[in-house]
Amino acid sequence: MKTTFQMLGALLLLPLYASCSLFNKAPMEMVTYDHPNSSTKERLIVFMRGMGGNHYSFEKEGLVADIFERHAPFDMVAPNAHFGYYADRSLIKRMKEDVIDPAHAQGYKEIWLIGFSMGGLGALLYTIDHPEDVQGIYLVAPFLGYRSLLNEIATAGGVHHWEPGNFDPDKKWQRMLWRWLKQNVAEQPTKPIYLGYGEKDPYVDGQRLLAQVLPPDRVFTVPGGHDYESFKRLWDKFLDNGGCHPADAAETDAQAQR
C-alpha cells in the first residue's frame, strides 16, 4: 500500500502546492527546547503547527513557557512542518527521519504529538503510519475532513454506527482517516487521544463527531473560535487536567477504555 500521504489527493490540489514545496527542506528545520531542570532525555513533546504562523509560534504564544512553569518533565521540539510537506506528501517521511527517529536515538521513550489545526490532521496521519512511535496525542482545533463525509457520519448516528464501506484508501483519505478513528479510537482505543476546540470553530462539525467517542475528561472546549487566544486556553486546560501522562498512567488509561 502507498504511504498515507498518497491518500490526500483532494486536500492537496491547492494553488499553494507549487510555491510551498519549493521551500521544503530535508532535514526539516526545527527549534528545540530542553527542560532546564532535567538532565535526562526521556519525554518529548512534538508541536505540529497549523497553516498560519510558524514553528516559533509555540514559544511566542507562551506554550513552551507553560511547560517550564508547571515543571512538567518534558523537552520540546517544534519542526517547521508547513503545508509544503503536506503538499508534496513528504511530511511523514520527514517527521520520521528528521524528528522522531533522532529523538529515539537520543533516548526519548515517550513522545507526544501536539497538533494544531492542520497539525492535528498531521499528528493523526503520522500515528496511523507509525503508531509505535507515539505515546499520546493532543488535537487542538484539528481539521478532520470536509462537510460531505462528516454529514454522512452524522446522518448514520455517529462514528459508532457509521460504516465506511468499500473504498480505495489511496484515493479516499478522509474515509481512511475516519475508519481508523472508528476502529482505533471509538471501538478499540490504542493510545490516549485528547481533543480541544472552540465552540465557534469553523471545523467544529468534525471535532464534535470525534468528541462523542472520547472519554469526557479528554475533551476540552472554550467559547472561542479558530485563533491563538482559543488555542492557548485549550493548551492550559490540557496541562491543568492531566495532559501528557507518564507512560504507565497512559497505558492504564488506554486499558480502562477497552
Side-chain angles (χ1 to χ4, degrees):
M1 181 178 290
K2 300 176 184 178
T3 61
T4 300
F5 266 91
Q6 292 175 295
M7 305 170 188
L8 296 180
L11 177 65
L12 304 180
L13 295 177
L14 298 176
L16 289 173
Y17 177 88
S19 59
C20 285
S21 61
L22 293 176
F23 297 98
N24 294 355
K25 294 184 178 180
M28 188 183 292
E29 291 181 340
M30 67 192 76
V31 57
T32 60
Y33 305 95
D34 292 336
H35 199 291
N37 298 323
S38 176
S39 59
T40 61
K41 294 184 179 297
E42 295 183 358
R43 301 184 177 100
L44 182 70
I45 285 172
V46 179
F47 289 118
M48 298 189 69
R49 55 167 287 188
M51 189 80 78
N54 56 48
H55 55 312
Y56 291 98
S57 297
F58 305 104
E59 178 181 8
K60 178 181 177 181
E61 300 298 329
L63 279 66
V64 172
D66 286 335
I67 289 290
F68 294 155
E69 290 171 1
R70 287 170 172 79
H71 305 289
F74 284 86
D75 295 335
M76 290 161 279
V77 60
N80 191 20
H82 57 69
F83 177 77
Y85 293 101
Y86 292 76
D88 73 1
R89 303 172 181 176
S90 65
L91 179 69
I92 292 177
K93 175 180 174 65
R94 295 270 55 88
M95 286 288 296
K96 178 70 172 172
E97 295 183 4
D98 302 341
V99 183
I100 304 300
D101 283 352
H104 286 150
Q106 293 179 67
Y108 290 106
K109 298 179 177 64
E110 299 177 34
I111 297 177
W112 281 74
L113 301 183
I114 312 295
F116 293 75
S117 189
M118 177 184 72
L121 174 62
L124 286 171
L125 294 175
Y126 185 89
T127 303
I128 290 171
D129 270 19
H130 300 289
E132 72 283 356
D133 288 343
V134 180
Q135 178 62 37
I137 308 170
Y138 182 33
L139 306 172
V140 184
F143 172 72
L144 297 172
Y146 295 109
R147 189 174 301 276
S148 58
L149 180 61
L150 300 178
N151 286 344
E152 176 186 322
I153 297 171
T155 300
V159 179
H160 281 294
H161 300 285
W162 171 72
E163 293 297 334
N166 296 321
F167 64 95
D168 182 352
D170 293 333
K171 297 179 180 179
K172 302 292 185 179
W173 71 266
Q174 297 176 82
R175 204 166 287 274
M176 175 279 302
L177 172 68
W178 281 96
R179 180 180 65 181
W180 185 88
L181 290 171
K182 176 181 173 67
Q183 294 173 346
N184 295 276
V185 178
E187 296 176 351
Q188 294 290 330
T190 55
K191 61 182 71 269
I193 294 181
Y194 290 75
L195 171 67
Y197 60 92
E199 295 171 355
K200 297 182 179 180
D201 193 291
Y203 306 135
V204 73
D205 290 347
Q207 296 157 3
R208 286 175 174 163
L209 283 173
L210 179 56
Q212 292 171 6
V213 298
L214 291 172
D217 61 350
R218 295 221 175 114
V219 178
F220 311 113
T221 62
V222 296
H226 202 82
D227 52 65
Y228 281 118
E229 180 181 355
S230 298
F231 296 172
K232 179 61 165 61
R233 293 169 63 192
L234 290 165
W235 175 240
D236 289 338
K237 281 195 170 189
F238 173 68
L239 295 180
D240 292 339
N241 289 274
C244 291
H245 291 189
D248 52 353
E251 176 61 23
T252 298
D253 289 347
Q255 292 176 355
Q257 293 181 62
R258 297 190 179 105

